Amino acid sequence: AQTVTQSQPEMSVQEAETVTLSCTYDTSESDYYLFWYKQPPSRQMILVIRQEAYKQQNATENRFSVNFQKAAKSFSLKISDSQLGDAAMYFCAYRSPIQGAQKLVFGQGTRLTINP
Amino acid sequence: ETGVTQSPTHLIKTRGQQVTLRCSSQSGHNTVSWYQQALGQGPQFIFQYYREEENGRGNFPPRFSGLQFPNYSSELNVNALELDDSALYLCASSLQMSQETQYFGPGTRLLVL
């Protein structure tokens, strides 16, 4: 079974600075999908970025980028120019491509605080 | 395009009772997944429905059951509620294609007393 580990329960960063959230995962599959979701106090889980394991290029979405290290099974999220609205719980998630097994497996989350 | 909606927003029940939570999928999506998120934890997969049939289940007892309707909306039913069932219940919809992303609703907060 796949597992996802986020080793940083809490992180804080000054507004406008850069922060990196860590995620490692365990799987025996060679093809899969990785996601970062953001959950603000409103509770709704919002997709931040996704990465297909077969792609060598790291995904980027505006101020958000990932460092995907397949051999190390590492998938970190970098947030540049942090803004107050980035404050939230961030969850790393893994999904298998196999039909009937497309559940998301989540990590425990990292609470990100932005200091003004 | 309409996003994923869930009802009710909050719910309080007593141990032993039954509860039904509802989810309307995003327009064009035919797959619905349900997750349970206990306080301070990441979401845990309950089950997934595709074209009205269960298409994968997590490690939850049979008293957790579901339905999907022809319009792809879905219900989560929990019988014989226990205190540990208190959690945020999240619904997510997607297209049943291996590369598709799941989009989440705002959740239903269930409190069992």
Side-chain angles (χ1 to χ4, degrees):
Chain A
Q2 297 88 11
T3 59
V4 176
T5 301
Q6 293 178 248
S7 59
Q8 306 154 315
E10 296 184 359
M11 292 281 286
S12 64
V13 64
Q14 291 295 125
E15 192 177 4
E17 294 191 346
T18 296
V19 63
T20 298
L21 309 183
S22 301
C23 172
T24 59
Y25 57 94
D26 187 28
T27 183
S28 59
E29 297 176 325
S30 59
D31 193 19
Y32 45 85
Y33 303 89
L34 297 167
F35 303 83
W36 279 98
Y37 281 90
K38 166 185 177 182
Q39 189 177 40
S42 66
R43 308 178 324 201
Q44 183 149 10
M45 200 75 75
I46 302 166
L47 176 68
V48 175
I49 199 165
R50 72 177 240 169
Q51 174 81 43
E52 291 86 351
Y54 64 84
K55 291 186 177 178
Q56 293 186 341
Q57 187 173 8
N58 289 324
T60 299
E61 288 288 342
N62 301 313
R63 299 183 294 106
F64 299 87
S65 61
V66 298
N67 183 5
F68 173 48
Q69 301 289 327
K70 191 173 184 179
K73 297 180 181 175
S74 170
F75 182 61
S76 61
L77 174 70
K78 186 172 81 171
I79 306 174
S80 303
D81 186 25
S82 298
Q83 299 176 1
L84 294 178
D86 295 333
M89 284 291 291
Y90 285 80
F91 291 95
C92 177
Y94 172 103
R95 184 166 73 79
S96 168
I98 298 174
Q99 287 287 335
Q102 292 165 359
K103 64 180 180 180
L104 287 168
V105 178
F106 286 89
Q108 293 291 86
T110 297
R111 182 175 301 280
L112 178 64
T113 301
I114 312 295
N115 300 313
Chain B
E1 184 177 270
T2 305
V4 180
T5 60
Q6 292 186 244
S7 62
T9 305
H10 296 85
L11 203 53
I12 300 175
K13 289 287 188 178
T14 303
R15 190 172 55 182
Q17 287 187 314
Q18 178 265 344
V19 68
T20 298
L21 310 182
R22 295 178 174 83
C23 171
S24 292
S25 60
Q26 185 168 315
S27 177
H29 288 182
N30 57 17
T31 302
V32 172
S33 303
W34 286 92
Y35 295 83
Q36 180 195 66
Q37 185 178 18
L39 198 61
Q41 304 290 318
Q44 298 290 317
F45 175 72
I46 303 174
F47 43 56
Q48 182 182 83
Y49 277 83
Y50 169 62
R51 292 187 174 180
E52 303 178 56
E53 291 193 1
E54 191 176 285
N55 185 41
R57 187 179 182 93
N59 188 26
F60 280 81
R63 58 189 186 84
F64 284 78
S65 63
L67 283 173
Q68 187 178 33
F69 301 99
N71 66 354
Y72 303 131
S73 65
S74 177
E75 286 183 355
L76 164 65
N77 299 291
V78 187
N79 294 320
L81 283 167
E82 300 177 359
L83 297 180
D84 285 348
D85 296 333
S86 295
L88 179 67
Y89 288 85
L90 296 166
C91 165
S93 75
S94 61
L95 285 172
Q96 184 64 354
M97 297 171 65
S98 61
Q99 67 268 35
E100 288 301 319
T101 297
Q102 295 184 16
Y103 294 92
F104 284 82
T108 294
R109 173 75 69 189
L110 173 65
L111 177 62
V112 182
L113 301 176

